[in-house]
Amino acid sequence: QVQLVESGGGLVQPGGSLRLSCVASGFPFSTYAMRWYRQAPGKERELVAHITGAGRSTSYTDSVKGRFTISRDNARNTVYLQMNSLKPEDTAVYYCNTWRVIGGETNDYWGQGTQVTVSS
């Protein structure tokens, strides 16, 4: 079955950097787009970044453009989120996501999440 396992979160000071990783299994990784979402306390889950299956196209929510970079290594079934110039408002649980359309119905798959805390 589809499995997504995130890692790399932690506590970092404002202006610092972190790199999140998500290892995928159970599906043909290179043929699926991948996304990173985040959810801060009391807020809805927010799409942060998207990358196509071959990694040729990426997109970002406005608040992270120029600071975050999504990438993937299809040989390692892994998607990354490099986060630079972190701000306190980036504090959230970060989730890896992919989805499949089966019989016209969209099925979302999520990892367990990794906590990112930006604080001095």
Side-chain angles (χ1 to χ4, degrees):
Q1 75 263 24
V2 174
Q3 191 169 16
L4 303 171
V5 180
E6 301 101 333
S7 62
L11 172 64
V12 63
Q13 292 188 341
S17 298
L18 283 175
R19 187 175 82 154
L20 307 184
S21 299
C22 171
V23 179
S25 61
F27 64 102
F29 181 73
S30 65
T31 66
Y32 281 82
M34 298 294 296
R35 290 174 170 171
W36 284 98
Y37 283 78
R38 65 185 179 186
Q39 188 165 21
K43 294 190 176 181
E44 292 188 357
R45 196 168 291 192
E46 171 191 31
L47 175 60
V48 176
H50 170 104
I51 187 167
T52 55
R56 293 192 182 98
S57 180
T58 60
S59 61
Y60 302 89
T61 191
D62 285 347
S63 61
V64 309
K65 283 179 181 176
R67 300 188 299 121
F68 290 12
T69 302
I70 188 171
S71 62
R72 63 192 297 160
D73 183 343
N74 286 344
R76 297 178 183 269
N77 281 15
T78 302
V79 61
Y80 303 98
L81 186 68
Q82 177 67 44
M83 305 186 295
N84 299 328
S85 302
L86 282 160
K87 304 176 180 180
E89 51 263 43
D90 295 318
T91 295
V93 179
Y94 284 71
Y95 298 91
C96 181
N97 164 267
T98 193
W99 66 99
R100 300 169 72 178
V101 179
I102 302 173
E105 186 174 316
T106 299
N107 296 272
D108 275 295
Y109 302 95
W110 302 92
Q112 82 286 355
T114 186
Q115 176 70 49
V116 171
T117 303
V118 184
S119 175
S120 55

